[in-house]
Amino acid sequence: MNATMSLEKIKHHPVMLDQVLSIISPQHGGTFIDCTFGGGGYSQAILKFPETKVLAIDRDEITQKNADLLKKKFPKRFNFFQEKFSNLDKVAHQQLNPKAVIFDLGLSSFQLADENRGFSFESKNFLNMEMGLNEYSAYDVINTLDKGHLAKIIKILGEEKDGKIIANRIHKYRSTKPIKTSKELASIINEVKRKKKNNKKNLATKTFQAIRIFVNRELTELISGLIKAATILSNGGILIVVSFHSLEDQIVKNFFNLYSNLKKNPSRYLPLLENKSSLFRFALKKPITPDAYEIHKNIRSRSAKLRYAIRNNNSFFNSEEFKNKFVNYYKLEEGRI
Ligand SMILES: C[S@@+](CC[C@H](N)C(=O)[O-])C[C@H]1O[C@@H](n2cnc3c(N)ncnc32)[C@H](O)[C@@H]1O
């Protein structure tokens, strides 16, 4: 399937759309920033309310087509930029006074379905895994990255205990011929790992997650994106993140914990204490998850977690604690190939 076909025939179901809308209340108008436009599900739902404006971004050029359609429909209320959300400050600023900045992380159904991208185990096309605006592909990583670094990536970014064994096997294979497709990579990994009886998951799932995260620098993108969003939001603005795996959720949870008073409040029955070392006056303690009906309708939503927080009046400051917590991700994702 090529990219154009996927855009026309595949439908992306926006995850937890009702919950997002009830948190941001677009019926009262305002400007909203959609950092992960994808199929435009969130943006479109917001623009249905006449007093709203949406600034949307996405790193993937295939989203431009849907964005152009929306721009035609709402020329004065919608703007789109093909950009990474770590560069949010290049296209948005505090004077916009956004009511909410929204992240819906991971891949869209278009990206997953597009065989040219190589995100699926069955893809016989070029081992790509690029979301857009990348410096290198999965092919470069798998065929040239130092064996030790590859092992670390698979272990940490894939949470795969067999990272070293898998990296060794990849290294051995590529010294005879390059690994060209996702299908080839998946079969090398499946040979290394022995299937346990009731395990329905493809044994390459964790390694694929790791390579995808590395190729797109997804964790450091998220950390920078959260920081930029918190800088752009002013008092009362809402930061919402929908994440799909535990590494992402840990970052979001820690960001909200460290920059709110959640950890420091003596009792959950008392109102949150305000002090200078916080950015949020409210942060949800437990994530919101999709209900059984949504999971039944859209299986992709099953691992989604929604967290949000409301910005206070304090100016943004760099939390060394937050940076230090995730310094390893910077070291890992910045590894040269
Ligand atoms: C799950 S989809 C979003 C779907 C969208 N909410 C909808 O309802 O159609 C995630 C999108 O985020 C984009 N994306 C992921 N990481 C990004 C980043 N660092 N910067 C900009 N866009 C990113 C992907 O290209 C993808 O299109």
Side-chain angles (χ1 to χ4, degrees), residues 159 219 222-223 226 243 245-258 305 307 322 325-326 329:
E159 301 179 280
L219 302 184
L222 175 58
I223 296 169
L226 292 173
S243 68
H245 58 75
S246 59
L247 297 179
E248 284 170 350
D249 186 53
Q250 278 305 314
I251 292 173
V252 181
K253 184 175 154 188
N254 274 293
F255 184 75
F256 285 159
N257 278 353
L258 287 169
K305 286 199 170 107
R307 292 183 191 271
F322 179 69
K325 219 174 176 93
F326 296 112
Y329 291 152

Side-chain angles (χ1 to χ4, degrees), residues 12 14 35-42 57-60 63 83-85 104-108 111 131 221 300:
H12 179 91
C35 289
T36 48
F37 179 74
Y42 290 177
I57 65 176
D58 200 296
R59 64 189 291 174
D60 192 342
T63 59
E83 188 53 89
K84 290 192 268 190
F85 52 59
D104 176 19
L105 302 171
L107 295 170
S108 68
Q111 290 166 325
M131 283 186 183
E221 268 294 310
R300 203 191 143 254

Side-chain angles (χ1 to χ4, degrees), residues 277-293:
S277 65
S278 79
L279 291 181
F280 300 102
R281 66 172 125 98
F282 168 83
L284 201 63
K285 246 186 162 175
K286 288 239 162 78
I288 299 172
T289 52
D291 59 24
Y293 179 68

Side-chain angles (χ1 to χ4, degrees), residues 63 110 180 200 224-225 235 251 258 324 328 331 337:
T63 59
F110 315 120
K180 286 190 179 145
K200 285 188 193 141
S224 305
N235 197 11
I251 292 173
L258 287 169
N324 292 340
N328 273 342
K331 282 189 190 151
I337 66 166

